Amino acid sequence: MKPQQQDRAGLLYGFAAYGMWGLVPLFWPLLEPANAVEILAHRMVWSLAAVGLILLALRRWAWIRPLLREPRRLGLIAIAASVISVNWGLYIWGVNSGHVVETALGYFINPLVSIAFGVLLLRERLRPAQWAAVGVGALAVVVLSIGYGKLPWIALTLAFTFATYGLVKKRIGLGGLESLAAETAVQFLPALGFLVFLGARGDSTFGSGGAGHSALLASCGVITALPLICFGASAVRLPLSTIGMLQYIAPIFQFTLGLVVFHESMPPERWAGFALVWLALTLLTWDALHTSHRARRELADVAARAGLSPAGAASGSDAVPEAVAGAAAGVMPDVIPGAGPKTAPDAAPDAVPDAVPDLAPGTAPEKHGGSISGG
C-alpha cells in the first residue's frame, strides 16, 4: 500500500475507533433496566468471548504459556483488571445517571493526570509548556469544583483510574488484544458468578427482559472489541503524533452528546472550567507538534551531514516526546499501547498492532503508537 493510501486508511480507522468510543454513551442507556453493575458484569463476560474469538481467528495463543510462568506480570494483570473494572463501572453508571458531560471531562483531563504521574512516579522532566498545561489543568479543577459545588469526583476518578491503568499496562508489556483477553480472563469468573447470583435471586434482566434486551447485553463484547480492532489498524499506519490528536475526538463527541442529546446543564462557571481544560490541552498539543517538528528538522540535519537521505534516517521521527506520549496514552481506557511513559528498558511496547497483523501487512514498525480506550 502506498504511504498516502496507508495514511488515509489509518485516518479512517482512527476516526472509526475514536468515533465509536465517543458515541458509546448512546449505547449504555439502551441496556436499562439493567443497572450499572449488571451491565459491567456482562461487559466483562462477553468481552472475553469476543476477544477470545478474535485471537482464535488470528491464531495468537503463543503468549499465554510464557505469561503463566511469570507471577509478577500476572499480578500486574490482576491490578490492571481491577483498576479498569472501576473505570468501566463508574463510566457506565455516570452515563446512565445523567453525568455524561462529567465523564467526558474525565477523558479530557486524563492526559494531564498521565503527565503528573510521569513527573511524580517516573521522575520525568517537563518542558515549560507542559508545566503550564498542568498548572492550567489544576486551575480548571478548582473552577469546576466551584461550579459543581464539590470536586468533580466522577471525572477525577475516571482520569486517575485510567492513568493508573495505562501505567500498569506499560509494565505488563502485552499487545492490546492479548492484554484485554488476559484482563477479562481475570474478571470473568467473578463477573459470571455475580450474574449467576443475580439469576438465582430473580434479579437478572438477561432473559427476563426479552430477546432484544439479552442480545444488547451480549453485544457488550462487540462494543468493547470493535473499536479496539479499528484502533489497531489505525495505529500501525499513523505516527503517534497523529494518534495523539485523534484521541480528543472521543471526549468531544461525549461532551456534545451530554449537551445536545442528554440536555445536561452547563452554567457559566462550568464553561469556564472546560475552557481552561481545553486551553491546557491546546498547550500540550502545540508543544507536541513543535517538539516533533524540531526533532524531524534536527534528524534531517544529522542525516544531511552523514550523507544520508532524511527519509532513510527518520524512522520514528514522528514520535511525540515521552511525557506527551504518556499523556496521549491516557484517553480512551482501554488502552493507546506504547504511548505511556517509559517504565522499564526491557518492557515490550503495548502495541495493539501486534495483535492484528493481518490488518496492515507490510506496515512499518515505527508507525506503531498508542493506547486504547475503554469508555
Side-chain angles (χ1 to χ4, degrees), residues 74 130 137 272 275 301 375:
L74 290 174
Q130 294 171 313
D301 291 341

Side-chain angles (χ1 to χ4, degrees), residues 23-91:
L23 295 175
V24 78
L26 296 174
F27 176 72
W28 302 126
L30 299 178
L31 304 183
E32 294 178 333
N35 61 33
V37 180
E38 183 180 0
I39 294 171
L40 174 63
H42 277 286
R43 185 178 190 182
M44 293 172 175
V45 169
W46 295 109
S47 292
L48 178 60
V51 176
L53 288 174
I54 294 169
L55 291 174
L56 180 63
L58 296 175
R59 298 181 180 179
R60 294 192 63 89
W61 300 107
W63 55 276
I64 296 178
R65 186 170 297 175
L67 178 63
L68 294 176
R69 293 196 292 263
E70 299 184 54
R72 178 179 173 276
R73 292 177 78 195
L74 290 174
L76 289 173
I77 287 172
I79 294 173
S82 301
V83 173
I84 201 60
S85 296
V86 174
N87 185 280
W88 282 0
L90 180 60
Y91 183 82

Side-chain angles (χ1 to χ4, degrees), residues 241 285-301 317-321:
S241 53
T285 302
W286 174 85
D287 180 73
L289 292 174
H290 175 73
T291 307
S292 179
H293 175 72
R294 186 176 61 186
R296 285 196 298 269
R297 188 175 57 208
E298 291 176 353
L299 198 59
D301 291 341
S317 61
D318 285 319
V320 179

Side-chain angles (χ1 to χ4, degrees), residues 252-277:
I252 288 172
F253 276 21
Q254 293 165 3
F255 176 78
T256 304
L257 289 175
L259 294 183
V260 176
V261 177
F262 297 97
H263 306 293
E264 295 185 16
S265 62
M266 278 292 289
E269 56 270 23
R270 291 186 193 173
W271 279 112
F274 269 85
L276 288 171
V277 171

Side-chain angles (χ1 to χ4, degrees), residues 76-283:
L76 289 173
I77 287 172
I79 294 173
S82 301
V83 173
I84 201 60
S85 296
V86 174
N87 185 280
W88 282 0
L90 180 60
Y91 183 82
I92 294 168
W93 177 86
V95 169
N96 286 359
S97 300
H99 300 284
V100 176
V101 169
E102 191 175 346
T103 62
L105 174 63
Y107 291 114
F108 274 127
I109 67 176
N110 183 74
L112 302 173
V113 175
S114 294
I115 284 181
F117 275 16
V119 173
L120 297 175
L121 302 179
L122 306 177
R123 302 185 182 278
E124 293 179 350
R125 299 179 61 183
L126 301 186
R127 293 177 294 279
Q130 294 171 313
W131 277 117
V134 172
V136 171
L139 178 61
V141 172
V142 174
V143 172
L144 287 164
S145 298
I146 295 173
Y148 280 100
K150 58 182 180 181
L151 275 175
W153 66 272
I154 296 175
L156 291 174
T157 304
L158 289 175
F160 275 89
T161 53
F162 199 68
T164 302
Y165 176 69
L167 189 66
V168 173
K169 282 178 69 66
K170 285 298 296 179
R171 295 183 179 274
I172 294 173
L174 275 179
L177 285 173
E178 291 91 338
S179 180
L180 184 60
E183 291 154 19
T184 50
V186 172
Q187 298 167 332
F188 180 79
L189 286 180
L192 183 62
F194 175 75
L195 293 177
V196 171
F197 171 73
L198 279 184
R201 288 181 50 184
D203 294 332
S204 174
T205 63
F206 188 80
S208 63
H213 178 70
S214 299
L216 283 172
L217 286 172
S219 68
C220 287
V222 177
I223 294 297
T224 300
L226 186 57
L228 174 61
I229 297 297
C230 290
F231 176 84
S234 175
V236 296
R237 291 170 166 87
L238 296 176
L240 182 58
S241 53
T242 304
I243 293 290
M245 303 291 184
L246 292 176
Q247 69 172 326
Y248 297 119
I249 293 173
I252 288 172
F253 276 21
Q254 293 165 3
F255 176 78
T256 304
L257 289 175
L259 294 183
V260 176
V261 177
F262 297 97
H263 306 293
E264 295 185 16
S265 62
M266 278 292 289
E269 56 270 23
R270 291 186 193 173
W271 279 112
F274 269 85
L276 288 171
V277 171
W278 294 330
L279 173 60
L281 295 178
T282 300
L283 288 171

